[in-house]
Every structure is written in C-alpha cells, then in structure tokens.
Amino acid sequence: MINIPKGTKDVLPNESYKWKKVTEVAYQIAHRYNLKEIKTPTFEHTELFVRGVGNGSDIVNKEMYTFVDKGGRSLTLKPEGTASVARSFIENGLFNETMPLKMWYITPCFRYEKPQAGRLREHHQFAVEIYGPNSVMSDVETIMIAYEFYKAFGIEPVLHINNIGCSECRKNYIEKLKEFVKPHLHEMCEDCQVRYKNNPLRMLDCKVDICKHILQGAPLISDCLCEKCSDHFDQVKQLLKVLKINFVADPKLVRGIDYYTNIVFEFVDEDKQLGQNALGGGGRYNNLVTDLGGKPTPVVGFGIGIERLLLYMEKKGINFPTTEGVDIYIASNTSNISYIVYLADYLRDMGFTVETDLMLRSMKAQFKYADKLNVRYVIVVGDDEIFNNQLSIKDMNTGEQRKVDYNKLAEFFNGK
Ligand code: HAM
C-alpha cells in the first residue's frame, strides 16, 4: 500500500462539510468587506520567496520545497501566499487600480517542517491582503476581518499585537539588541548565532530555553519607536478597545517572516490546546512591493491556518455551525427506474438534496439508510404508487405519513 506523504492530510467525505463551511464563511466575509478573490499558482520562481519571505527566515532557510523543472528552472511550492500576491500585483499592473485594493484567497502552503499536531507540510490558509492604505483604520479593519472569521466559528483567540517599527526605528533597535546580546552570543543556540548576523529580530522568537533566558532582559522595540510609529500603535490599540477586541500588547512578538514592518499581530491559543499557539498571524509589510521591484505600496494582511482552526475547534469540543443533511430520500421497489430518475431530477430542480437507492437495497434497508442520512422526508415509490400517480411521503421527524398526488408535490414541498 502507498501511504500519504508525511505531514499531509486527506479531507475525507465525512469531514469535507467543514471545509465547505470555511469557504462559505470566507466568501460571506469577503462580501461584507468588499474583498476580491485572487488566485495565484501553486509554485513560483524560487527567487520570489528568497527575496520576498527573506533569507533570514526559517521558511527560506530550511523549509522550502524547491525543485528544478525539466527546463532547468528553480521553482518552489509556495510556502505562503503573500509574496505571490505581491508578485501578481506588480506583474499585472494592479497598482493602476483605484486603491485600496482589498484581496483574499484560500491557498495551499508547503513547508518542510517537522510534522506534529497542527504543524503540517501542506497546510491551507485563508488570507487577506489590503494594498494601498497606510492608515490606522486599515490595520484595524484587517484585524476585524480575521476576528470575524474566527467569530463565525464560535471562537475568540487572543490577539497579540506589537509594532516592530519603520525601517528607521528598527535600525536603532537592532543596534541596541545586538549590543545587549553580544556578550552572551557564545551561549546562544546555533540558529541565533546566524540570526544575530542575518536577522537579529528573530532571536526574540527563539524557543530554545537558554536563548529565551538571555533575551528576557533584552531592550524592547516599544522603547525605540519613533513618534510616528508610536502614535500609530497607540491609535490602533485605542480603536481595538473601542471595538471591544481583546488584545495583549506583546513587545516580543516579531513574526517569522522578514517582510513585516510596523504593526504585527498573531491570534494565539492561550490554552495551548494545539501545541502550536499561533492560529493565525499577519501585519503590515510596507517594503515588500519595492523589494520585489514595484513602486512603494503600503500593505497589510494576515493568514489563518485552516487545519489549525479545525483542530482547535475539535480540541475545544466546539461543533461546526452547520452540518449538511439530505432533504428527501426516494425509497423504491419498482423496476420502473426511469420514473425514479425523473422524480429525483424534478425534486433536485426545485433545489432539494435528493438521494435514491443506488445500491438496490431492500425497502427495509433503504429506510435504515435514510435514517442514517438524517433525511427529513422519505418518498415511497412502488408500482401501485406509480399506477395511481400518488406518492406516499413520510416525515421522518414526526413519523407522519400521507399520500400526495404527483402534481401536488411542488405545492407540498414548497409549503414546508
Ligand atoms: P504565517 O504566520 O507563517 O504567516 O502563517 C499563517 C498561519 O498559517 C499560522 O498562524 C498558522 O495558523 C498557519 N500555519 C503556518 N505554518 C503551518 C504549518 N506548517 N502547519 C499548519 N498550519 C500552519 C504567513 O504565512 C503570512 N503570509 C501571513 C500574512 C498574510 N501576513 C500578511 N499577509
């Protein structure tokens, strides 16, 4: 037997309704916020992620699925969607559109990580990218969209938020951070030794105990923000309070991708049900478009892991808002199959979910199956019913059974 590749997951027929719901919620929220869907390819030129996601990130350093195609090009399965959208924005001249350009997508992402609960090698994200604005309102609107998405599933993870400053504040901060770390550098993990050179901010995110311990007393970015960044952050926090969105100002939050500037945030599972605590994350990235060769364009966005959302709900015992059912089952013991097929078609045209006996079961077994499907109505069709043009309909909720003329079926079901 050939097994599924490590770190990937099937979505089986008995759970796919959850994914349908995720997509439906995404479309509903997109409609309310006037977000337009964007689709980008599953693979891109490797260079896009090296330049976009950044050399200092674990994603680029350790986790990319990179291969050379038959034409000798280096391609990479996308580890995230933001860089692809930025590439598309530049390549398709989307900067000529009236701003803001508010986009959303659901995409598979591939990262060669050590698989564990909530950490996969292929995962999917619901993501939003808002191009154009640099305003407090656009930061908050982005957070509101993510927040509403979670709320639609009955969950309220805690929002952790930080401002990692503009390039100027970060330059000052990085100097201070390096100064602080330098005497302890030899005690720190190998990754942090590299981060010290390539991406010092990422040291703050290190999960290794000794590094965490050393960095406990490190200077905070919040103490190095310029007036503009500091004001911006205060206003974002103020607006979140007005909206009653609970948040924790987390001065150590830096995110694992190089493109972020200013506001960054994560939705955190504080009960640590998952092992992974970030259910979603995002922030502002005002330099990515220029880094990829486009004109300066401020952008803010987020990505929410769908598998993590589903796992979190399962662990917390939160049921899905809806399950799917079958409206009508046609139980039959007639050889007149064209009648059954025609009847099913007629009812489906009216918009009902209809099942028929494809397995050629006995009448008793068909009722048992209908029960299992949680069907609302069973229509019994035998030769007598066909001859009399009268169908017997059983309401499976009440047990009530009645005869209905074929030409009164529409009236009967539409009245329900
Ligand atoms: P990220 O924090 O790397 O951000 O991923 C976003 C979310 O995807 C995570 O919070 C988590 O829920 C989920 N996720 C990430 N890696 C895995 C994995 N290996 N297995 C399962 N779920 C995972 C980004 O990717 C950014 N592009 C988000 C963004 C959009 N920022 C601005 N715009």
Side-chain angles (χ1 to χ4, degrees), residues 80 82 111 113 118 120 125 129 255 259-260 279-280 301-302 305:
E80 60 102 54
T82 306
R111 298 182 188 179
E113 296 201 76
L120 296 161
Q125 288 185 19
E129 318 286 0
R255 308 270 300 131
Y259 49 60
Y260 292 108
L279 284 168
F302 68 80

